[in-house]
Amino acid sequence: MARTAAVPVILEEEYESRRADLAKELKPNSLFLLLSAKPQQRSHDTEFPYRQNSNFYYLTGFKEENAALVIVRGKKAFNTYLFVQKKEKQLELWTGKRLGEKRAKKLFHVDNVFTSELLHEKVLGLLSKSKNFYYDFNVTDTRLDALREKAKSLLAHYNAATLVERARLVKSPAEIRLIKHAISITKEAHHRAMKLSKQLTTEKELQAEIEYVFTKNGAYSDAYTSIVASGNAANTLHYIENNKALKDGELILIDAGCEYEYYASDITRTIPANGKFSKAQKELYEMILNVEKEIISMVRVGVLRSHLQKRAQELLCRGLVSLGILEGECKKLLKKGKLNKYYPHGIGHWMGLDVHDQAPYKDAKGKEIPLCEGMVLTIEPGIYIDKDDKSVPKKYRGIGIRIEDDILVRGSGYENLSAAIAKEVQEIESM
Ligand code: GLY
Ligand code: MN
Ligand code: MN
């Protein structure tokens, strides 16, 4: 791919300032602990590719397993500790080079670096001087169990993940550059799919072409399992079998996005297998496309996601009535939940280190968090009509369409980060 801009990175200074910001949030006399992700065994002697825990990665940028971050906060000042795997020649022969403690000390702006064998002993010592213990409540890990047990009667416990996830809501310029980079690779993949769909015979082949582009461009393949759903399969929202033959006259819903340096992209395009939309497909597609564009145009600081959803429901309902798919007055239809059958999901979700970014939608008081500058969310309206739905005019049966873009909230409005990925009927057909 001709990409001239330098590949973006996040500098250690940024991770350092994230840790400092987090330390400020801790109660005085606290110990904050985050563990690296546990490796996942696939079967005997084989593991799934390792991926770091997103919260741990957010605060360290460190990709190795068997690591831990500890932040100890006193009255005001704080100290940081990184625990890393010890260098071991024999193990490195099998699983590759490790950074080791000495290099970690040079590269990371943390106060102390120890090898992971010392985690238990050091944390126990530090806990004995702390009043509050922060750790990820959702993690089950023997490394944590023993410490939690010891700390049980001594301390107040808080969920460390909640603090990190709140910080992850608003993206920094460096994070946005990485998301843009992921999207630029995903753009190439979707355009390749549009160009090749006519000459390929199965969903699997199309998936392989898309993921080939991801991998060849240095992405960690997909940010979620790609959905390549042709014909009626598009009406199964999480269809991932991708094993049907492509058929002339059907649409293909492709929901696929790569993850680049831990940052996700999440894009859906719906394209005709034979390169040309039928009249009925085009009618439905353009209705949804117009809704998508209108909802995107509503994105700005202060807006609530629930308002975007409500407006999307109104517009989609109106669109379905105008096409004769629903009958009646929209207000009543919506009240009776008649749209849910055709539009059963939300308008979008936060996106970042995770495709469904692990960040809150409500504040501590349970109030919905309005859009703020620097948030990234998807906008993804869709309509799904089962092939056997006799209540719908025949020409629309068996069609599932979703259009999904990744949107950055800007002070003055929004930036559609995936605007360069073709979605107009003419653009798609001309590919
Ligand atoms: N790809 C998952 C989603 O669109 O939310
Ligand atoms: Mn999505
Ligand atoms: Mn998606």
Side-chain angles (χ1 to χ4, degrees):
M1 175 173 16
R3 215 181 287 110
T4 45
V7 170
V9 288
I10 295 180
L11 299 174
E12 175 54 17
E13 284 73 11
E14 181 164 336
Y15 291 109
E16 185 182 17
S17 86
R18 290 177 188 175
R19 292 188 291 268
D21 288 345
L22 188 119
K24 278 185 220 139
E25 301 265 326
L26 300 176
K27 293 184 184 298
N29 304 314
S30 289
L31 187 142
F32 171 97
L33 167 70
L34 270 192
L35 299 173
S36 59
K38 273 195 300 188
Q40 299 294 323
Q41 192 178 28
R42 178 171 168 165
S43 63
H44 189 55
D45 287 342
T46 0
E47 281 180 358
F48 286 106
Y50 185 73
R51 187 193 186 275
Q52 191 54 275
N53 171 284
S54 294
N55 284 339
F56 180 83
Y57 190 78
Y58 180 80
L59 289 178
T60 62
F62 191 44
K63 296 176 181 171
E64 285 185 24
E65 60 190 66
N66 198 8
L69 172 72
V70 173
I71 301 175
V72 176
R73 153 134 196 206
K75 271 210 180 81
K76 276 210 174 113
F78 69 95
N79 272 294
T80 49
Y81 300 73
L82 188 65
F83 292 83
V84 303
Q85 310 180 91
K86 171 162 101 188
K87 286 194 76 64
E88 279 186 69
K89 270 218 165 72
Q90 193 53 29
L91 287 175
E92 288 181 49
L93 170 70
W94 288 92
T95 51
K97 289 276 176 230
R98 297 167 170 190
L99 191 66
E101 170 195 5
K102 278 200 195 117
R103 296 251 307 134
K105 184 82 184 100
K106 277 201 183 120
L107 293 176
F108 292 92
H109 298 179
V110 288
D111 302 309
N112 307 280
V113 177
F114 295 109
T115 58
S116 296
E117 295 89 69
L118 294 175
L119 177 71
H120 189 80
E121 176 193 328
K122 293 280 177 199
V123 172
L124 272 189
L126 293 164
L127 272 175
S128 68
K129 293 174 225 143
S130 308
K131 292 210 169 84
N132 307 294
F133 186 22
Y134 291 75
Y135 57 89
D136 188 337
F137 286 2
N138 296 321
V139 161
T140 48
D141 194 310
T142 47
R143 291 175 289 171
L144 183 60
D145 293 345
L147 293 168
R148 212 169 31 194
E149 198 49 39
K150 288 272 183 204
K152 216 159 149 185
S153 56
L154 295 176
L155 307 155
H157 295 208
Y158 298 95
N159 193 351
T162 310
L163 289 184
V164 190
E165 286 156 10
R166 211 183 299 142
R168 283 171 51 188
L169 259 173
V170 170
K171 273 67 185 174
S172 72
E175 289 183 289
I176 290 163
R177 282 195 291 275
L178 281 168
I179 292 171
K180 283 184 173 176
H181 197 79
I183 293 171
S184 76
I185 296 170
T186 294
K187 176 186 87 175
E188 195 189 323
H190 275 271
H191 285 177
R192 186 178 178 86
M194 289 172 194
K195 285 175 192 150
L196 292 178
S197 68
K198 213 170 154 179
Q199 67 199 69
L200 299 179
T201 54
T202 63
E203 295 168 347
K204 261 293 171 253
E205 278 178 86
L206 206 44
Q207 179 183 4
E209 294 289 348
I210 288 164
E211 291 173 5
Y212 161 69
V213 176
F214 292 169
T215 310
K216 128 184 127 140
N217 284 296
Y220 172 98
S221 194
D222 43 15
Y224 52 93
T225 305
S226 306
I227 296 169
V228 182
S230 64
N232 195 56
N235 297 317
T236 302
L237 294 177
H238 286 172
Y239 174 82
I240 50 172
E241 287 83 2
N242 305 341
N243 58 5
K244 284 192 347 163
L246 299 175
K247 279 202 204 124
D248 188 18
E250 289 188 337
L251 292 179
I252 316 167
L253 183 157
I254 302 174
D255 185 348
C258 76
E259 175 178 298
Y260 185 83
E261 281 296 306
Y262 282 79
Y263 282 84
S265 54
D266 183 9
I267 301 294
T268 308
R269 291 292 182 264
T270 307
I271 63 173
N274 64 11
K276 201 154 169 48
F277 287 87
S278 72
K279 190 162 170 286
Q281 289 167 347
K282 192 172 154 180
E283 286 164 1
L284 200 54
Y285 183 88
E286 292 200 314
M287 186 277 281
I288 299 164
L289 181 60
N290 287 334
V291 174
E292 200 230 12
K293 287 183 192 167
E294 177 151 352
I295 302 300
I296 291 174
S297 76
M298 289 170 67
V299 171
R300 66 176 58 86
V301 170
V303 166
L304 296 175
R305 243 174 86 260
S306 59
H307 286 176
L308 299 179
Q309 170 72 338
K310 194 160 168 274
R311 184 70 183 143
Q313 286 168 332
E314 285 165 7
L315 293 170
L316 288 170
C317 190
R318 204 185 290 167
L320 291 185
V321 169
S322 75
L323 295 174
I325 294 169
L326 280 175
E327 261 175 61
E329 214 186 297
C330 268
K331 239 185 176 164
K332 282 188 191 149
L333 289 167
L334 287 169
K335 214 168 170 192
K336 285 190 197 153
K338 295 286 183 197
L339 180 70
N340 300 351
K341 179 163 132 193
Y342 303 111
Y343 174 54
H345 56 73
I347 191 62
H349 49 84
W350 309 137
M351 191 192 81
L353 283 171
D354 297 305
V355 61
H356 287 206
D357 216 12
Q358 196 86 13
Y361 290 93
K362 291 183 177 164
D363 65 17
K365 289 184 188 141
K367 245 180 90 190
E368 187 177 354
I369 299 173
L371 299 184
C372 299
E373 181 152 19
M375 287 178 174
V376 174
L377 76 161
T378 66
I379 297 292
E380 49 180 305
I383 290 291
Y384 313 90
I385 302 171
D386 191 80
K387 68 176 174 36
D388 297 322
D389 188 341
K390 301 262 178 346
S391 70
V392 171
K394 203 163 173 205
K395 57 182 180 175
Y396 297 123
R397 292 182 205 159
I399 298 180
I401 296 171
R402 179 166 63 254
I403 307 168
E404 176 175 29
D405 282 294
D406 302 336
I407 313 296
L408 166 67
V409 184
R410 288 245 184 241
S412 53
Y414 68 91
E415 180 181 344
N416 181 351
L417 302 176
S418 46
I421 306 180
K423 64 179 173 182
E424 296 296 331
V425 164
Q426 266 204 328
E427 282 179 300
I428 294 172
E429 289 185 343
S430 70
M431 294 246 190

